[in-house]
Amino acid sequence: MDRRALVLGGGGVTGIAWEIGVIAGLADRGIDLAAADVIIGTSAGSVVGADITSGQEPEALYQAQLAPPDPEPATRIGWGVIGRLLWVMSTSRDPVRARVRIGHWALAARTMPESGRRRVFEARLPVSEWPAKVLKVTAVDARTGEFVVFDSAGDAGLVDAVGASCAVPGVWPPVTIGNRRFMDGGVRSVANADLAARYERVVIVAPVAQGTGPLMPSPGRQAAALAAAGARVALVRPDRAAMRAIGRNVLDVSRRAAAATAGRAQATAEAAAVRTVWQAEGGPTAS
């Protein structure tokens, strides 16, 4: 087994802010999650992964979340989108076929132009090149339902990989890479923590704690499976205060500062369990 893996789950704009708050709060206590041997990012987590591997200090990333957001049109993942995703997952028996059904819908949906969405990520990401650290970014082929993991060894650029991982079906356009189009890696799993199966110590930071049964396992189920296989695992999910700060619309930029603040505050309670996994020797455990 390799040593340490950091898994960063999906959760929209507020999920990015909360994750950065947690990472900054743990850094205050001497726990450097960016020192992982591999960082696995899905959707919002892919943005945070690019942030923390860019060379910027956690405090600077945190302060950026507190700054007033740039004016932009209100966006939300509406109940129609959520309902369709849940319906497809609940009426499908095969996860790949379910993802194909979601992909057909994503490809047909009326959204902003793909070029405009790419400019958002060009402006949002601190760097445009893959980092020296091992960063893996998840996405799903919208036509075939295939789960794909991008990294520096492939042909996809960092901006396109992160854009693909964040392409929420029905909200944002699938991203073209080569002759394929990709959508949000969270369509397969909100955390994709099973990619950390080879690692001895795993910390999962997951703004969204729910799954949708066997076709889309929750971070909790994936954490338990990793622990059962012999890894030491810590799972950090939003506490009640963080859930209130995040709110019901994870794309609400007006809640970004509150979510970041809640994440940093929550790190105080999470530090002992995370430190035990990240720094201690011993056998498997899950917390």
Side-chain angles (χ1 to χ4, degrees):
M1 281 186 168
D2 292 323
R3 291 184 61 217
R4 297 186 297 184
L6 172 62
V7 177
L8 300 169
V13 172
T14 52
I16 292 171
W18 176 78
E19 288 184 11
I20 288 176
V22 169
I23 291 167
L26 292 172
D28 292 340
R29 291 155 183 81
I31 303 169
D32 181 11
L33 293 185
D37 297 293
V38 65
I39 297 172
I40 299 162
T42 293
S43 200
S46 70
V47 176
V48 178
D51 281 345
I52 67 174
T53 57
S54 69
Q56 296 188 72
E57 294 296 324
E59 182 63 31
L61 296 171
Y62 175 75
Q63 291 299 326
Q65 295 300 312
L66 303 185
D70 294 331
E72 57 184 69
T75 307
R76 67 179 302 112
I77 301 177
W79 288 111
V81 172
I82 295 170
R84 182 182 284 253
L85 292 173
L86 292 175
W87 180 78
V88 170
M89 288 298 174
S90 65
T91 58
S92 300
R93 295 184 179 181
D94 177 80
V96 176
R97 288 179 64 86
R99 296 196 291 266
V100 168
R101 292 169 65 188
I102 293 170
H104 286 169
W105 167 51
L107 290 165
R110 293 185 177 182
T111 64
M112 71 181 298
E114 186 180 343
S115 59
R117 184 63 175 158
R118 190 181 197 282
R119 287 194 291 271
V120 171
F121 285 98
E122 289 174 336
R124 170 64 183 82
L125 296 182
V127 294
S128 60
E129 301 295 328
W130 286 97
K133 287 181 174 291
V134 180
L135 172 63
K136 296 186 178 293
V137 173
T138 69
V140 170
D141 187 309
R143 293 191 178 96
T144 68
E146 179 188 355
F147 179 59
V148 177
V149 181
F150 297 113
D151 59 23
S152 62
D155 295 331
L158 179 64
V159 172
D160 288 328
V162 172
S165 191
C166 295
V168 180
V171 178
W172 307 119
V175 170
T176 302
I177 300 177
N179 60 358
R180 303 170 72 182
R181 300 194 72 193
F182 295 93
M183 60 183 175
D184 199 313
V187 173
R188 191 253 190 180
S189 161
V190 292
N192 293 298
D194 56 316
L195 293 179
R198 294 190 302 109
Y199 291 83
E200 295 174 349
R201 306 175 191 176
V202 183
V203 172
I204 305 168
V205 184
V208 176
Q210 297 82 15
T212 57
L215 296 191
M216 188 185 289
S218 69
R221 279 186 58 196
Q222 292 186 327
L226 291 170
R232 299 179 66 89
V233 185
L235 172 60
V236 182
R237 296 171 285 195
D239 59 16
R240 290 185 178 180
M243 290 297 294
R244 288 194 296 270
I246 288 170
R248 294 184 177 181
N249 178 17
V250 298
L251 300 182
D252 186 351
V253 295
S254 71
R255 289 184 173 269
R256 192 176 69 183
T261 302
R264 192 166 198 166
Q266 185 179 344
T268 300
E270 305 288 349
V274 173
R275 181 177 286 109
T276 297
V277 168
W278 210 237
Q279 299 174 348
E281 302 292 341
T285 185
S287 57

